[in-house]
Amino acid sequence: MKKESVSTLFALIFGVVVYFLIASVPVLILANDKLKGEIGLLVGAALAVASLVHMNAVLVHSTYMEKNQSAYITANSVGRMLVVLGVLVVTAMTGWANFITMLIGLFGEKISALSNPYITKVLTKIIKKRR
């Protein structure tokens, strides 16, 4: 019997989306400015997803490189962190979104990575049932 598998990238993105939906509830209840709070959470989650997609692309590309893989991975990691830091600094300076909820949205990447084995198990069971 062929074992069904779930893409790691898909499972991580799914985890970030679920985390965003769960985190939206307290933000909508507790935030003073609900729109800025929700925008901050959405932008943070979007940054987390973009970071995951970029990480995946860098790792796939570096797999086929003949040399300088570690330098390539390091340079792209620093670039990715600088982009996230830039968005956070612009948000803190201008106030167009809630800085704290943006950080909470960014934590979705970490929560998704920690819960990835459980998410993969659940998604695999769902795929099995559908077939």
Side-chain angles (χ1 to χ4, degrees), residues 30-86:
L30 301 174
N32 292 335
D33 189 354
K34 293 176 187 348
L35 180 62
K36 282 187 179 181
E38 199 62 30
I39 289 172
L41 188 63
L42 181 64
V43 171
L47 280 172
V49 169
S51 178
L52 288 170
V53 170
H54 183 258
M55 259 189 270
N56 183 56
V58 167
L59 290 174
V60 167
H61 181 65
S62 69
T63 304
Y64 299 106
M65 293 176 71
E66 291 185 18
K67 54 185 175 178
N68 297 330
Q69 295 96 343
S70 62
Y72 178 77
I73 292 171
T74 302
N76 277 285
S77 295
V78 169
R80 185 173 48 251
M81 288 179 203
L82 287 175
V83 168
V84 170
L85 180 66

Side-chain angles (χ1 to χ4, degrees), residues 22-35 37-38 98 100-101 104:
I22 292 170
S24 288
V25 174
V27 167
L28 289 173
I29 293 172
L30 301 174
N32 292 335
D33 189 354
K34 293 176 187 348
L35 180 62
E38 199 62 30
N98 190 328
I100 303 298
T101 58
I104 291 170

Side-chain angles (χ1 to χ4, degrees), residues 9 12 18 39 46 59 63 69 79 84 89-90 112 131:
L9 180 62
L12 288 171
V18 169
I39 289 172
L59 290 174
T63 304
Q69 295 96 343
V84 170
V89 167
V90 167
S112 178
R131 290 187 182 206

Side-chain angles (χ1 to χ4, degrees), residues 5-19 52 55-56 59 107-125:
S5 64
V6 176
S7 165
T8 303
L9 180 62
F10 176 75
L12 288 171
I13 291 173
F14 182 80
V16 171
V17 170
V18 169
Y19 176 79
L52 288 170
M55 259 189 270
N56 183 56
L59 290 174
F107 280 127
E109 182 178 3
K110 306 301 178 195
I111 300 298
S112 178
L114 290 172
S115 61
N116 187 26
Y118 306 110
I119 293 170
T120 303
K121 190 181 292 185
V122 168
L123 289 176
T124 303
K125 285 183 181 180

